[in-house]
Amino acid sequence: MRSVVALAGGVGGAKLALGFSQTLDPDELTVIINTADDDRFYGLHVSPDLDTVMYTLAGVSNVEMGWGLQDESFRVLGKLKEYGADAWFNLGDLDLATHLFRTQMMDEGKTLTEVCAKLTEALGVRHKLLPATDDSIRTMVQTDDGIMPFQEYFVKNRCEPIVKSIDFEGSQNCRITKEAKESLMDMDLLVFCPSNPFLSLAPILAVPGFRKIVQSYSGKSVAVSPIVGGKAIKGPAAKILKELGHDVSSLGVARQYVGLCNTFIIDEIDASMKQNIESLGMEVFVTKTVMETNQDKKQLAEFILDISA
Ligand code: FO1
C-alpha cells in the first residue's frame, strides 16, 4: 500500500495527478493543491487550481481551454457584460454552479476542505484533493506595472507585466490543515508535479510549517521539471524564471528545489543537463515528461512510482 502526496497547481499538476489517479487506489493518493490563485469574481469565491484538478480527475475538464468545464457556454457572462459588469474573468454557465455552491457553503461557515470533499464526492472523484490551508492566502505579483493579484496578472494582463517579485499575502497567519498535515506525516512518496515553482508550488510551501515538514522528510521526494527545452509547456514559468534572473532551463528550476527534493526528473530533450543537476545533490532521471495523451500521464506516474519503489 503506497501513500503518495502530490503537490499541484494548474494544468501541469492536474495532468500528472490524473496519471497517478489511474495507477493508485483512492487511499493511496492525496493531491495538495494551491489556493493562492483564489479570488472573488462577481461576488463568488473561485478556486481555479482546486477546480482544474477536480474537473480533470472527474473527466469533465475543458482540455482545450485548460480550465473550466467541457461543453461550456458563457450566456450569463454575456448578460453580465450587457449590464456593464467589468467581466474580464470568464466564468462559464456550468462552472458558475461550482462557484455558487462553494460560496454558499463558505458563507454557511464550511471550510474550503469541506467544500472540496462535497464537490469531489458529487463529481465522483475518489482520490483525496486538499487545499494546503483553509485560510486566506493570495499571490500578489510585484511587476513593473505595480503590484497586482494573480488573476489580474495572469488573465487581465495576460502575464505581460515584468515580474519583480511574488508575495503570498496572508501566508504568515494561515495554518496548514489537519488533513494536509496528516497526509504529509504518513506519506512514503512526495511528488512536486510539473507546476509553476513560483506561482503554484511556492504558495503551498509558504504555508507556515509546510516547507519545514518537506525539508525534514527523509523519504523519497521527486520533482518533475515544468520547463522542457527552455520553455514552459503552459503558462508563464519560463518568462518568470527569466525575469527573476534564473536560468530558463530544467537546471534553473532544479535550483529552486534544492533541499526540498532528492530526485529530479527531466525530459529527454534536456538530457545534457543531467550532470549539472546532479551536482546540486539530486538524483536525476531522464524520461518523456511532456504529457499529451492519457497514456503519457499514466506512463509518467508509473515511472515515478517505479523509481521510488
Ligand atoms: N484563465 C484565463 O486565461 N482566462 C480566463 O478567463 C479564466 C477564467 C477561469 C475561470 C475559472 C477557473 O477555474 C480558471 C480560469 N482561468 C482562466 C484559469 C486560471 O486563471 C488559471 O487556471 C489558474 O489560476 C492558474 O493555473
Side-chain angles (χ1 to χ4, degrees):
M1 145 88 170
R2 303 297 308 258
S3 58
V4 179
V5 170
L7 307 183
V11 177
K15 284 181 177 176
L16 183 53
L18 180 63
F20 278 123
S21 73
Q22 295 175 61
T23 33
L24 294 167
D25 294 339
D27 56 0
E28 294 183 308
L29 172 67
T30 300
V31 189
I32 297 181
I33 303 162
N34 167 43
T35 53
D37 291 358
D38 289 20
D39 213 331
R40 254 184 123 77
F41 292 101
Y42 320 108
L44 301 174
H45 183 112
V46 179
S47 298
D49 283 355
L50 283 176
D51 291 349
T52 297
V53 178
M54 178 174 73
Y55 290 159
T56 300
L57 268 62
V60 295
S61 66
N62 190 313
V63 181
E64 301 70 46
M65 284 210 290
W67 51 269
L69 286 164
Q70 62 193 7
D71 310 329
E72 187 58 283
S73 56
F74 292 85
R75 297 182 65 204
V76 173
L77 193 76
K79 200 69 185 169
L80 281 168
K81 285 178 179 168
E82 228 180 277
Y83 291 150
D86 177 17
W88 51 267
F89 194 74
N90 300 301
L91 290 184
D93 298 326
L94 297 178
D95 194 30
L96 272 169
T98 305
H99 314 313
L100 286 164
F101 190 82
R102 176 178 280 123
T103 305
Q104 189 179 13
M105 275 188 77
M106 290 174 78
D107 289 350
E108 290 160 3
K110 298 285 189 301
T111 64
L112 256 184
T113 299
E114 287 166 329
V115 175
C116 215
K118 200 98 181 105
L119 289 171
T120 48
E121 189 197 356
L123 288 175
V125 174
R126 295 165 53 237
H127 295 84
K128 206 181 290 163
L129 307 185
L130 297 174
T133 175
D134 284 327
D135 301 317
S136 166
I137 180 168
R138 288 185 84 208
T139 297
M140 298 302 284
V141 187
Q142 186 81 263
T143 78
D144 58 345
D145 276 351
I147 191 161
M148 57 188 78
F150 174 77
Q151 297 301 346
E152 219 175 288
Y153 164 75
F154 188 82
V155 178
K156 189 172 187 181
N157 294 305
R158 290 180 306 287
C159 304
E160 284 159 8
I162 310 289
V163 175
K164 303 284 177 222
S165 67
I166 300 169
D167 303 303
F168 307 116
E169 190 181 83
S171 60
Q172 295 82 356
N173 317 319
C174 66
R175 291 152 297 167
I176 185 171
T177 66
K178 179 173 63 60
E179 296 79 359
K181 189 163 185 181
E182 276 163 9
S183 66
L184 290 171
M185 287 302 134
D186 71 20
M187 68 187 167
D188 63 24
L189 171 60
L190 175 64
V191 179
F192 292 81
C193 292
S195 297
N196 187 313
F198 305 104
L199 293 173
S200 300
L201 299 177
I204 295 174
L205 294 164
V207 175
F210 205 107
R211 180 179 286 268
K212 211 156 130 278
I213 293 172
V214 169
Q215 282 170 328
S216 56
Y217 175 57
S218 58
K220 193 89 174 170
S221 51
V222 179
V224 179
S225 176
I227 297 287
V228 173
K231 292 192 190 65
I233 304 297
K234 188 166 174 62
K239 181 173 180 283
I240 292 176
L241 268 167
K242 178 161 163 278
E243 289 165 1
L244 293 182
H246 303 293
D247 277 358
V248 184
S249 66
S250 299
L251 176 61
V253 174
R255 289 195 181 107
Q256 310 308 313
Y257 290 101
V258 173
L260 295 170
C261 70
N262 40 46
T263 308
F264 200 74
I265 299 179
I266 58 177
D267 191 85
E268 290 144 348
I269 302 176
D270 294 322
S272 60
M273 296 197 168
K274 185 170 186 291
Q275 274 78 14
N276 288 348
I277 298 171
E278 281 167 343
S279 62
L280 296 173
M282 299 174 187
E283 194 179 7
V284 179
F285 289 87
V286 181
T287 187
K288 179 176 170 18
T289 64
V290 179
M291 297 174 276
E292 270 125 359
T293 66
N294 200 44
Q295 189 51 30
D296 293 341
K297 296 163 194 167
K298 251 182 97 173
Q299 222 142 17
L300 182 56
E302 283 164 353
F303 180 85
I304 294 168
L305 293 173
D306 290 348
I307 63 169
S308 319

